Each structure stands twice: as C-alpha cells, then as structure tokens.
Amino acid sequence: MSIVTSQEMFAKAYAGGYAIGAFNVNNMEIIQGITEAAKECNAPVILQVSSGARKYANRTYLVKLVEAAVIETGLPICLHLDHGDSFELCKACVDDGFSSVMIDASSKPFEENVALTRQVVEYAHAHGAVVEAELGTLAGIEDDVKVKAEDSSYTRPEDVQEFVERTGCDSLAIAIGTSHGAYKFKPGTKPQLRFDILEEVSERLPGFPIVLHGSSSVPQEYVQMINEFGGDMPGAIGVPEDQLRQAARLAVCKINIDSDLRLAMTGTIRKYLAEHPAEFDPRKYLGPARENIKQLVKHKIVDVLGCDGKA
Ligand code: G3H
Ligand code: 13P
Ligand code: ZN
C-alpha cells in the first residue's frame, strides 16, 4: 500500500452514508495516535498538513512520517494539503508526494476563485493528485488568517454547479455554520448547522463529495482539564457530534478535525506535568498525549464519522 488519493474513499463514503476523518498533523506523536486508531478500527483516513505545519516541520518530515504510517498500518491513507493559498504551494506539495491538495481561494471574488482553482486542478490532475476547493467563508483562525464571524458567509447553493463544472475540482468545502478553532458558538446559544444549505447543494451536485471544515466538537473533558491545570479557555464550544453524524449520512464525505486533537494533547500534557512536576523526559508526557489522541480518534471514527471497518 502507498499513499492514496481520496477518490475511492469518497465514492464509497458517499454511497455508504459515512464520512472520512481528515485530521491535522504536526508531529510524529499526532500521526501515530491518529493512524493507530484508524488501524484498530480498520478505517481509511486523511492526514492533512497546513502551510503552518509544513513551515514548522519543514517540507520533508511530515511526508516521511506519513509514509512510515502507511508502512506500519497498511491502511489507505491520503496525504492532503489543508488550506493551500497559492498555486506555488499546491504545486510544491504535489511535487513532494501529496496525493491531494486544497486550494482555498474562498476569500477571493468568484471569478478569481474559479481561475486559481482551475490552475491547481490542471497541475494536480496531470500529476495524479486530487483537488479540494472552497466556496463560502468560515469564521475563525487558520494560520495567520483571522476571519471575524460577521465577515463569514454561507455558501450560496446557486453558485456550486457552475463552480464545480468550470474548475473540475474533486470535492467542495462549503460553509454551513461551522468555524475554525475552539470558540465556534456564543455561550448560551444553540449550535445549529444549516442542513437546508447542505441539502440544496447536494441536490445541485448529485453524487459529489462535500467537505466540512471547522468540525471539532471541543470535548468539555479536555477544556476542563486545561482550565483545571493552569489554562484559561472559558466558553469554548464546538459542533454537536450528532449534527456531524447527520452530515456524514448526507453528502459530506470529509470532516476536518484539528482543534479537538490540540485540546486532547495540551490537556493531557498540562495534567501530566502538574501531577509530575519533577519529570523532564518528553516521552513521559508525549506518550499519554498520543494515547489520548488515539482514543479520541477512535471515538470520532466509530461514533461520529461511521467509517470503521471501511478500509
Ligand atoms: O484550519 C486550520 C487548521 O486548524 C490548521 O491550523 O494553520 O494553525 O496549522 P494551523
Ligand atoms: P477545527 O478547528 O474545528 O478542528 O477545524 C479544523 C479544520 O477545518 C482544518 O482545516
Ligand atoms: Zn479548515
């Protein structure tokens, strides 16, 4: 088995009414936690690298760690660029062995988004890779880009068919009320995704895979752990998992999760170091962090995505 594209994963997920988890990776322990969980659940998985993660780890390490995970697990694993912001970055990742790239030109006017996405699709398809594009703008923080809630906008279903036809993209991220980061909804309000938009989009794009970004659920056990051991995260609220499960049954084939892994890792390490103040062997706190990432990902695969046993 080698790194695969998401094409077959999405076709099966669409037909089967489940979704593939796309988890952000930054280092070895995160990659191991996710892929050990996927292995135990016999689940296909997407490991995604943001431009910030690529800068942090440099262009080689994460690719080689993902190749190691393929060898260790024998699973179908897709290596994906998350939120690529230029043709040059998408091209560099395809050249480095990524099987999938996202070109995120969602903040640009429609015609510019079409033109840039088309350019990336032509290069990626000529080199055996697939492309995710985005229409509509999510609120929240990615790298250095901060989109205020009032500047975010839902995807307009009337645009999607023309966009997909003109760009040739392989999947489409849409904005239906999710957002990046750990503060997705105002405390005291009822989180509710816009399933009406999702349904209208999928009626216009029958059989076409839809992607949901900003899909962390912000587990309160880890928020509390962080707060208990010196952190300060009041009012951190995520997307209810039952709504993600519902989206996975519909046209959503890829669900992006990063913040939940960060919370599990940081909460575990804070707790460990608070309880073992004399410890200075990194393996002692990174090991439990990796284990809790694994348990979290198993829960997502089985209870939220429904992709267990689908590898
Ligand atoms: O959507 C953004 C992801 O959570 C990646 O975050 O850009 O800080 O690596 P990052
Ligand atoms: P979260 O911040 O909700 O984990 O979203 C991650 C994401 O969309 C990565 O592209
Ligand atoms: Zn995202």
Side-chain angles (χ1 to χ4, degrees):
M1 183 66 74
S2 53
I3 289 170
V4 298
T5 75
S6 49
Q7 201 169 23
E8 195 181 327
M9 294 181 187
F10 288 168
K12 287 186 185 165
Y14 198 104
Y18 61 90
I20 313 294
F23 301 98
N24 286 73
V25 299
N26 298 282
N27 66 14
M28 182 185 78
E29 283 77 8
I30 296 173
I31 292 173
Q32 288 176 328
I34 298 163
T35 56
E36 283 171 18
K39 176 77 183 165
E40 285 184 19
C41 298
N42 194 30
V45 70
I46 298 172
L47 300 179
Q48 53 188 14
V49 174
S50 69
S51 62
R54 190 169 178 270
K55 270 187 220 137
Y56 173 78
N58 98 20
R59 60 182 282 188
T60 311
Y61 281 91
L62 294 174
V63 176
K64 294 297 168 194
L65 285 167
V66 172
E67 286 173 3
V70 171
I71 293 169
E72 282 295 318
T73 62
L75 285 175
I77 297 179
C78 169
L79 173 57
H80 174 75
L81 168 66
D82 192 27
H83 294 286
D85 59 356
S86 67
F87 173 77
E88 290 71 26
L89 176 60
C90 292
K91 176 181 181 301
C93 287
V94 170
D95 293 347
D96 283 349
F98 283 56
S99 56
S100 175
V101 292
M102 175 188 193
I103 177 67
D104 181 358
S106 59
S107 60
K108 297 186 191 301
F110 185 81
E111 285 300 325
E112 282 180 45
N113 190 351
V114 169
L116 182 51
T117 302
R118 179 73 216 158
Q119 190 189 9
V120 171
V121 166
E122 277 170 10
Y123 188 82
H125 285 184
H127 294 81
V130 294
V131 178
E132 175 185 327
E134 180 167 328
L135 262 184
T137 324
L138 272 71
I141 305 164
E142 311 147 11
D143 274 335
D144 306 327
V145 185
K146 206 173 187 175
V147 181
K148 289 193 194 129
E150 57 270 28
D151 296 330
S152 65
S153 59
Y154 293 119
T155 304
R156 288 160 32 97
E158 54 271 39
D159 291 341
V160 296
Q161 205 175 358
E162 180 189 348
F163 183 83
V164 167
E165 278 170 13
R166 286 178 61 195
T167 61
C169 66
D170 302 280
S171 60
L172 184 68
I174 62 168
I176 59 166
T178 62
S179 61
H180 291 107
Y183 301 89
K184 299 186 189 297
F185 301 96
K186 286 209 177 80
T189 60
K190 192 175 167 292
Q192 181 57 59
L193 301 185
R194 290 286 304 272
F195 283 99
D196 56 323
I197 298 178
L198 173 59
E199 279 171 18
E200 223 187 302
V201 165
S202 53
E203 273 164 26
R204 288 166 192 260
L205 293 173
F208 192 80
I210 299 302
V211 178
L212 271 196
H213 282 249
S215 298
S216 277
S217 297
V218 186
Q220 292 303 302
E221 63 173 298
Y222 286 119
V223 173
Q224 277 162 19
M225 203 182 276
I226 287 171
N227 289 340
E228 191 181 338
F229 295 101
D232 184 25
M233 299 189 71
I237 298 173
V239 184
E241 288 186 335
D242 59 332
Q243 293 186 32
L244 295 172
R245 186 70 196 98
Q246 191 181 340
R249 281 193 202 98
L250 301 169
V252 170
C253 295
K254 173 174 180 272
I255 291 191
N256 284 13
I257 297 171
D258 184 9
S259 297
D260 285 357
L261 307 185
R262 295 180 181 200
L263 292 166
M265 183 154 209
T266 304
T268 306
I269 292 172
R270 273 188 183 276
K271 181 172 190 288
Y272 188 91
L273 290 176
E275 289 173 351
H276 304 82
E279 185 57 68
F280 65 98
D281 177 347
R283 294 170 297 187
K284 290 289 191 329
Y285 53 85
L286 290 174
R290 176 176 61 191
E291 179 59 26
N292 281 348
I293 286 175
K294 179 176 167 182
Q295 297 310 326
L296 180 80
V297 171
K298 280 174 81 168
H299 161 67
K300 298 286 178 186
I301 287 172
V302 174
D303 302 322
V304 181
L305 303 158
C307 62
D308 49 311
K310 309 292 187 187

